[in-house]
């Protein structure tokens, strides 16, 4: 090791001791975080999905739409940011009946900017707390030009 212009020799034993201390530190931190998560887990996605099972027919869109239909018969369309997936005319193409979106990472304002006509017909139904983030379920009222719920253009 060079420090302040001088060379110092470190024994291989001390190198192993240092590596073991660093690994033990990170292993302990991961164990503590996993233990804390396990003791406070909430199954919130499972609960939200069960709550939404009462809505028939449901074609839900949004970034996390796939998770909220895991425990019900709804269909999900993942809508990503522009340039990602299904962002071009999702309401007309897939006949969305609902949106499940968050204010986190500017998702909700992005929908109002990209789809002003559809969001003008959308009304908030309920808010859900999922893993500490607030999500809003919107019901999208049908447009005369939209296909039947769940049909693909």
């Amino acid at each position: 090791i060079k420090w302040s212009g001088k060379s110092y020799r470190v024994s291989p034993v001390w190198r192993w001791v240092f590596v073991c201390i660093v690994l033990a530190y990170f292993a302990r931190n991961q164990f503590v975080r996993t233990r804390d998560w396990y003791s406070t887990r909430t199954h919130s996605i499972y609960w939200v999905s069960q709550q939404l099972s009462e809505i028939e027919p449901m074609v839900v869109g949004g970034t996390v739409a796939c998770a909220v239909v895991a425990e019900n018969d709804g269909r999900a369309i993942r809508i990503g940011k522009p340039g990602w997936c299904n962002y071009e005319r999702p309401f007309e193409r897939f006949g969305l009946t609902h949106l499940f979106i968050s204010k986190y990472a500017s998702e909700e304002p992005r929908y109002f900017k990209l789809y002003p006509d559809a969001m003008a017909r959308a009304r908030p139904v309920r808010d859900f707390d999922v893993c500490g983030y607030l999500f809003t379920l919107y019901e999208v009222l049908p447009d005369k030009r939209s296909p039947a719920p769940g049909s693909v253009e």
Side-chain angles (χ1 to χ4, degrees):
I1 297 176
K2 287 189 176 189
W3 186 52
S4 297
K6 294 182 180 180
S7 291
Y8 297 94
R9 184 166 162 80
V10 178
S11 162
V13 172
W14 285 111
R15 289 182 191 171
W16 278 105
V17 168
F18 176 74
V19 168
C20 289
I21 289 172
V22 169
L23 289 176
Y25 172 78
F26 285 111
R28 180 192 171 279
N29 282 347
Q30 289 303 314
F31 171 77
V32 168
R33 289 176 190 228
T34 303
R35 182 200 63 207
D36 292 347
W37 163 81
Y38 189 78
S39 63
T40 61
R41 65 194 187 280
T42 60
H43 305 291
S44 55
I45 290 287
Y46 176 78
W47 179 81
V48 168
S49 184
Q50 285 185 328
Q51 295 296 310
L52 298 181
S53 66
E54 302 166 1
I55 302 171
E56 291 286 333
M58 180 175 71
V59 182
V60 63
T63 307
V64 296
C66 298
V68 298
V69 298
E71 293 293 324
N72 60 48
D73 293 330
R75 292 180 55 201
I77 304 296
R78 169 126 170 39
I79 302 172
K81 293 179 181 180
W84 287 15
C85 63
N86 298 328
Y87 73 95
E88 294 176 357
R89 303 180 314 112
F91 297 91
E92 295 84 8
R93 289 172 55 207
F94 303 112
L96 297 180
T97 61
H98 293 81
L99 281 177
F100 192 75
I101 56 178
S102 174
K103 290 179 178 57
Y104 176 73
S106 301
E107 185 178 22
E108 188 178 64
R110 183 174 65 239
Y111 277 81
F112 279 95
K113 181 181 175 187
L114 290 174
Y115 316 111
D117 295 338
M119 294 309 287
R121 298 188 322 268
R123 65 175 184 87
V125 176
R126 186 171 172 191
D127 291 331
F128 294 95
D129 180 18
V130 179
C131 301
Y133 298 103
L134 183 66
F135 283 82
T136 303
L137 177 69
Y138 286 90
E139 179 181 16
V140 182
L141 300 175
D143 183 16
K144 296 171 190 159
R145 298 169 293 173
S146 295
S151 63
V152 177
E153 183 181 87

